[in-house]
Amino acid sequence: MSDLRGRLADGAYAAGWSAVKRLPEPVAVRLGRTIADLAWKRRGERVRRLESNYARVVPDATPERLAELSRAGMRSYLRYWMESFRLPAWSPERVRAGFEAQDLHHLTDGLASGRGVIVALPHLGNWDLAGAWVTTALETRFTTVAERLKPETLYDRFVAYREGLGMEVLPHSGGTAFGTLARRLRDGGLVCLVADRDLSASGVEVKFFGDAARMPAGPALLAQQTGALLLPVTLWYDDSPTMRGRVHPPIEVPETGTKAEKTSVMTQALADAFATGIADHPEDWHMLQRLWIADLDPAKVPAQSPDRSPDNSTGTAKDIVRDPGKGTL
């Protein structure tokens, strides 16, 4: 059954990239909104999880407000997908017009310094579009990490898609990603990681919207080991075709403490920056999975393998609908 689901998922994504990119943009926008509204009305497991996560972000929200947020969240999520299916067909001019960032100097100055830059993002907005903008508008290639998916054909499809946008994509599993990322940073390169959801059993516990969660240690460890600049970035949509973003001030390596203590402080600072962006634009946070420790199965969390997601699902095709090939470390 899982093999069948894998083939169906692979076929569905292939059809999306093939068909949606040929649609006129207004038609694709309406299609995405229609699919989002249908999914929201069904109130399946992923929609209910999204609403539950929003309840932590907006704790004083009424049930009616949470319903509005989850509907807007599904529309934002499908906007991400419609854009992603269409990105390979966008002209360089359309990519450059598709994103606008505040405080971009933190990134451009860091790149100009030659010390290497780590950009860490939460699941906000469209990180693929932001990445395509970096490779197009800034003419800067970067390295990222993607969760290895099943079937392999689907993983290969996501890798080919992102490499076509100018990214170098490394598999999350296999044990070699960290060393390759460190080498890229020592050479003055750019590394971009989606870092608000831990995919391993070694995540750092942080306080996130008042409750404990785990986030990946990789960004903080890379900054310590290589001397690279660590920059949180948050993204959001407005009513225009242009996505917005903010490059937050760099997170410095503490001068004192053990490696573990420094990693904890830096990862908490990342979580705080993410929380700022998510609180301002909760409907653009596409977290359709369990995140907080209290929501996880305590009997299974310690046994997670590096390619498992926090809701204890393996990287099968069924889970791609939940979290499609997003890279963390």
Side-chain angles (χ1 to χ4, degrees):
M1 182 62 72
S2 62
D3 289 343
L4 175 60
R5 285 198 298 264
R7 291 194 297 271
L8 290 174
D10 188 26
Y13 285 106
W17 270 304
S18 175
V20 174
K21 70 180 180 182
R22 295 189 175 93
L23 296 175
E25 190 160 344
V27 175
V29 170
R30 289 196 297 273
L31 176 62
R33 179 163 291 201
T34 299
I35 295 171
D37 288 349
L38 288 172
W40 178 78
K41 288 176 182 178
R42 288 183 58 200
R43 290 197 58 79
E45 177 186 354
R46 296 301 101 192
V47 173
R48 296 195 305 274
R49 174 54 53 191
L50 182 66
E51 205 164 285
S52 174
N53 289 339
Y54 286 161
R56 291 182 183 270
V57 175
V58 190
D60 58 349
T62 64
E64 292 77 16
R65 173 59 177 149
L66 286 175
E68 291 173 0
L69 273 176
S70 64
R71 183 177 189 179
M74 290 304 295
R75 287 181 172 183
S76 176
Y77 185 52
L78 263 294
R79 176 173 172 175
Y80 160 81
W81 274 113
M82 292 298 108
E83 288 178 346
S84 295
F85 285 143
R86 292 173 53 76
L87 265 176
W90 280 14
S91 67
E93 293 75 21
R94 178 66 183 90
V95 172
R96 284 192 287 267
F99 179 56
E100 185 176 290
Q102 300 173 7
D103 299 324
L104 185 63
H105 65 92
H106 292 307
L107 175 58
T108 54
D109 290 352
L111 291 172
S113 73
R115 64 183 287 193
V117 177
I118 306 157
V119 165
L121 310 92
H123 288 75
L124 268 172
N126 189 338
W127 40 95
D128 285 331
L129 171 55
W133 184 88
V134 167
T135 61
T136 303
L138 299 185
E139 298 182 343
T140 301
R141 288 180 60 86
F142 64 88
T143 305
T144 189
V145 176
E147 183 179 4
R148 184 171 287 283
L149 310 171
K150 295 179 182 178
E152 284 290 322
T153 52
L154 185 54
Y155 172 76
D156 292 342
R157 197 179 299 282
F158 272 99
V159 169
Y161 157 64
R162 290 191 169 114
E163 288 181 342
L165 298 177
M167 312 175 193
E168 178 188 22
V169 183
L170 307 176
H172 176 268
S173 58
T176 61
F178 189 93
T180 302
L181 295 174
R183 288 194 295 274
R184 299 292 184 268
L185 292 168
R186 291 193 185 99
D187 289 340
L190 174 64
V191 164
C192 298
L193 301 169
V194 181
D196 59 344
R197 190 170 74 90
D198 182 44
L199 291 179
S200 73
S202 59
V204 178
E205 186 169 320
V206 296
K207 210 70 167 174
F208 195 53
F209 290 101
D211 285 310
R214 289 193 183 94
M215 294 188 180
L221 289 172
L222 282 167
Q224 291 176 62
Q225 184 165 315
T226 67
L229 199 67
L230 176 55
L231 297 176
V233 171
T234 54
L235 310 170
W236 67 91
Y237 290 125
D238 57 18
D239 294 329
S240 76
T242 301
M243 184 177 68
R244 313 295 172 179
R246 178 190 174 195
V247 183
H248 295 251
I251 293 174
E252 303 294 342
V253 178
E255 294 182 0
T256 61
T258 65
K259 179 189 291 187
E261 290 168 342
K262 292 178 181 179
T263 301
S264 178
V265 170
M266 295 173 72
T267 306
Q268 182 63 62
L270 265 184
D272 293 343
F274 292 166
T276 298
I278 292 167
D280 287 343
H281 305 279
E283 67 278 6
D284 292 321
W285 190 40
H286 308 150
M287 185 53 65
L288 281 71
Q289 300 80 31
R290 295 177 178 89
L291 177 70
W292 282 272
I293 292 174
D295 294 336
L296 305 179
D297 183 345
K300 295 182 180 179
V301 171
Q304 288 178 313
S305 64
D307 59 349
R308 284 180 178 263
S309 57
D311 57 0
N312 305 307
S313 59
T314 57
T316 63
K318 178 181 178 183
D319 302 310
I320 307 315
V321 179
R322 302 177 180 178
D323 194 11
K326 299 160 190 172
T328 66
L329 185 69

